[in-house]
Amino acid sequence: MATPPLFLEYEDVLLRPEQRLAHGLNVEQIRDFLMELAAALVPVEVHFQLRPQTADPGDEMVLEAAVNGHAHALVTHNIRHFTPAAHRFRLPVLTPQQALKELRR
């Protein structure tokens, strides 16, 4: 799930030169990926903003998407930044590895 601003952030990050060097995709491949991602994502409307909740202002739109989208969990490698804020909303924070284990149950 993603809000429009969060999706635009994904696009911005993927198109950065340093990220393009890391993932090795050209602009056309990134655009194709983003089109597929957009088709698979559940759109989330932000009915209320929660800011500020996290230590990193860049994390706010991720938390807002999870809370407004009634997510079952917030999946991230950034456990330290999200856990205190997510706890306020009774939203579990899982690493990708933990989330995959949960899905296999």
Side-chain angles (χ1 to χ4, degrees):
M1 72 180 55
T3 61
L6 182 56
F7 187 83
L8 292 173
E9 177 71 9
Y10 293 160
E11 178 182 37
D12 178 62
V13 170
L14 288 172
L15 289 169
R16 291 178 187 165
E18 64 275 15
Q19 291 298 320
R20 289 187 49 217
L21 281 174
H23 56 60
L25 300 175
N26 64 40
V27 173
E28 184 178 331
Q29 290 171 312
I30 294 167
R31 298 274 185 225
D32 289 344
F33 169 77
L34 288 167
M35 286 178 58
E36 293 294 325
L37 181 61
L41 285 173
V42 174
V44 173
E45 267 188 62
V46 176
H47 297 287
F48 52 92
Q49 288 188 323
L50 312 166
R51 300 173 191 199
Q53 295 288 326
T54 65
D56 181 352
D59 294 338
E60 298 290 347
M61 70 177 101
V62 175
L63 180 65
E64 286 174 351
V67 172
N68 280 279
H70 306 286
H72 297 286
L74 196 155
V75 180
T76 181
H77 285 291
N78 193 354
I79 300 291
R80 184 173 53 93
H81 281 178
F82 281 106
T83 297
H87 181 73
R88 290 182 205 113
F89 298 97
R90 294 186 174 94
L91 180 65
V93 180
L94 305 173
T95 65
Q97 181 180 13
Q98 291 168 324
L100 287 173
K101 283 181 184 177
E102 289 291 320
L103 288 173
R104 289 183 183 137
R105 288 185 184 183

